[in-house]
Amino acid sequence: MIVWLNGSVLPDPAAAGISPLDHGLTTGDGVFETLKIVDGQPFAVTKHLERLVTSATGLGLPAPDVAEVEEAIATVVKADPDITFGRLRITYTGGVSPLSSDRGTAGPTLLVASQAIRPPAPTSAIVTVPWVRNERSAVAGLKTTSYAENVRALAYAKERGGSEAIFANTVGNLCEGTGSNIFCVFEGELVTPTLESGALAGVTRGLVIAWFGAVERDVPLGRLVEADEIFLTSTTRDVQAVHRVDDRDLNAPGEVTAAVAKVFAERSAEDIDP
């Protein structure tokens, strides 16, 4: 594992000096991005950095210095060039602050870390959870470090044999997973929830729409039982077929899912920074 913190690569990642007063730790006041590393190269850097800036400014943090983040990414990747498949995470927080909701004046904390991981399973089982995404929240659509509800929901799904949890929003429409976007096939039509549902504008989600085409539409959660195919998208999943929804089994991957996965694999191999 390679860790870059506020300008320097740490010789011992376990000794990273994050202040106990860092607002990202005490309140979850921060944003992050996760990039896929394939054969030592990070994928879709430009799109991820654009979203990092959007999330930071949406949270009211100063816009991160994109050039500094790019330098940090390059330094981390160069320090561990042998990662065949991995995750690179950028974390950007409100920095040292009072032990309250008030922000301090010390400036943000920037942390970039990489780690080799196992490739995801070819299919996933999803579990709908009893909690909802608030599409009217102050942080709706922002990729913040306030992830406790995702941790709780994912644990709930795993207790029931799933590998991802799926949220509806406050009006009962399908929204997203804890770390993924969701696509459904209804009678041959590929559909994904709108961003107005509260779903994050996933980078992989956007590329699937651009490269293959999909209808963005509000989908009542109850319609999941009618879907002929379902797949998830995320940075490290790419396009991952769903073989079970709660207690319902699905043929996975279906024809549409397989076609989307093929197009995504081909296009992403052609351009490391689409």
Side-chain angles (χ1 to χ4, degrees):
M1 184 175 185
I2 305 298
V3 174
W4 182 101
L5 176 62
N6 291 333
S8 301
V9 173
L10 303 182
D12 180 8
I18 299 289
S19 169
L21 297 177
D22 194 280
H23 228 211
L25 173 65
T26 58
T27 68
D29 179 27
V31 298
F32 75 100
E33 284 293 319
T34 300
L35 286 69
K36 175 178 65 173
I37 299 175
V38 180
D39 295 329
Q41 295 188 79
F43 179 70
V45 171
T46 299
K47 290 186 182 298
H48 280 287
L49 293 188
E50 287 172 351
R51 192 173 62 181
L52 181 72
V53 171
T54 297
S55 293
T57 55
L59 199 59
L61 293 171
D65 182 336
V66 171
E68 181 185 26
V69 182
E70 289 176 331
E71 180 183 354
I73 292 171
T75 300
V76 167
V77 170
K78 184 178 179 180
D80 193 1
D82 298 324
I83 292 180
T84 302
F85 187 81
R87 177 184 292 124
L88 185 143
R89 172 161 166 148
I90 306 162
T91 306
Y92 182 75
T93 80
V96 174
S97 300
L99 289 172
S100 68
S101 295
D102 290 317
R103 287 190 177 123
T105 58
T109 295
L110 176 62
L111 173 68
V112 179
S114 66
Q115 189 175 48
I117 60 173
R118 292 181 179 179
T123 67
S124 179
I126 62 175
V127 174
T128 55
V129 297
W131 309 288
V132 298
R133 283 282 198 249
N134 181 2
E135 70 279 8
R136 299 173 63 190
S137 165
V139 297
L142 306 181
K143 197 169 180 67
T144 77
T145 58
S146 300
Y147 239 52
E149 70 175 9
N150 290 322
V151 173
R152 179 68 185 93
L154 185 57
Y156 177 96
K158 289 188 173 181
E159 289 163 3
R160 289 156 179 79
S163 48
E164 176 62 304
I166 300 297
F167 291 95
N169 63 13
T170 65
V171 295
N173 287 328
L174 184 63
C175 186
E176 63 182 355
T178 65
S180 63
N181 292 111
I182 186 167
F183 287 75
C184 302
V185 178
F186 298 106
E187 298 180 348
E189 183 181 47
L190 183 58
V191 179
T192 194
T194 65
L195 297 182
E196 288 73 24
S197 71
L200 183 72
V203 169
T204 308
R205 172 190 184 274
L207 291 174
V208 166
I209 293 171
W211 290 345
F212 191 88
V215 176
E216 297 176 82
R217 186 165 66 220
D218 288 330
V219 178
L221 182 66
R223 287 209 67 200
L224 273 181
V225 300
E226 303 172 17
D228 301 312
E229 300 176 37
I230 300 172
F231 65 81
L232 305 175
T233 61
S234 74
T235 290
T236 54
R237 296 172 192 266
D238 290 343
V239 176
Q240 185 185 50
V242 171
H243 67 262
R244 190 174 74 247
V245 184
D246 293 328
D247 296 326
R248 178 189 171 220
D249 291 328
L250 288 167
N251 181 35
E255 182 179 347
V256 175
T257 302
V260 174
K262 182 175 184 293
V263 168
F264 189 88
E266 291 173 348
R267 294 291 296 267
S268 59
E270 291 171 358
D271 188 355
I272 199 69
D273 193 22

